[in-house]
Amino acid sequence: MKLTWYGQSTFVIEFGGKKLLTDPALSVNPLAKDLNIDDLEADYILVTHGHGDHVADLEQVAKRTGATIISNYEIVSYYGAKGFQGHPMNHGGKWKFDFGTVKYVHAVHSSVLPDGTYGGNPGGFVVWGDEGCFYLAGDTALTMDMKLIPMTCPSLDVAILPIGDNFTMGYEDAVIASDFVACDKVLGCHFDSFPYIEVDHNAAREAFSAKGKELIIPTIGGTIEI
Ligand code: NI
Ligand code: MN
């Protein structure tokens, strides 16, 4: 699988022959000011929750690409009423798509759409198929529910975890999260976009390496192949 980061929680993940765009929100991110959502491709759009820093560019990219939105029932229904196609899920459920299997899992956070519409409960995704398995945690605190992932899903090749603190867990808790999900390779996200979530990169990497783990801190537009 190939994962390209576009700031905050926006990735394009090439998996199972499809392009999975996650939480598209370049236009509200100062770090991504030189990027244009119209340059990103998508067959599917995975949306973890309804906050603006995760959905700001969703309608624009869904309109252009015709991609299928995968999210919780409330978010898919909201965009469905606006004419966008989607696949609704809810916590604990999985579905086999043409690129692989997706399970929607628990996140401890909040979820409301930018216009104030209820956004259901926030979540994360575990995705697996011929190319391996990844966990996209979404915005979340460290939670004991993460221990269910290795009990119910194939072993992870990479865990995409927020490390920015303040609105989500910080890197110290992400080290523990990587234990809970039984994955020593972590790709960080949800950091540096705004002053509240600026992170000391070296301290974050050292916290992981001290436990024999690897933290990959992506660069904007940079691609990681796993
Ligand atoms: Ni959020
Ligand atoms: Mn967020």
Side-chain angles (χ1 to χ4, degrees), residues 49-54 109-111 139 167-168 190:
H49 65 294
H51 288 157
D53 59 322
H54 299 259
H109 193 66
S110 56
S111 179
D139 284 9
F167 296 115
T168 66
H190 212 273

Side-chain angles (χ1 to χ4, degrees), residues 84-221:
F84 297 101
Q85 62 171 327
H87 179 106
M89 301 187 74
N90 217 325
H91 296 79
K94 64 180 183 301
W95 183 261
K96 199 162 191 240
F97 292 87
D98 57 358
F99 59 88
T101 300
V102 176
K103 184 167 185 176
Y104 191 64
V105 297
H106 194 212
V108 175
H109 193 66
S110 56
S111 179
V112 64
L113 287 148
D115 69 0
T117 302
Y118 173 59
N121 288 313
F125 298 96
V126 183
V127 178
W128 65 88
D130 293 341
E131 286 177 69
C133 182
F134 69 88
Y135 168 46
L136 175 76
D139 284 9
T140 184
L142 176 65
T143 168
M144 294 294 273
D145 282 354
M146 290 170 176
K147 291 189 173 190
L148 296 171
I149 289 171
M151 297 170 69
T152 58
C153 299
S155 62
L156 301 178
D157 296 295
V158 63
I160 306 169
L161 304 179
I163 58 169
D165 223 324
N166 191 75
F167 296 115
T168 66
M169 60 185 171
Y171 64 81
E172 303 94 332
D173 285 2
V175 172
I176 300 169
S178 75
D179 274 340
F180 286 4
V181 301
C183 182
D184 289 338
K185 188 187 279 289
V186 170
L187 179 55
C189 69
H190 212 273
F191 64 94
D192 285 1
S193 308
F194 313 106
Y196 284 136
I197 60 172
E198 280 175 10
V199 160
D200 180 333
H201 294 200
N202 286 332
R205 280 195 207 92
E206 279 163 21
F208 277 82
S209 60
K211 299 286 184 187
K213 298 168 183 287
E214 180 188 9
L215 172 66
I216 302 164
I217 298 185
T219 53
I220 297 273

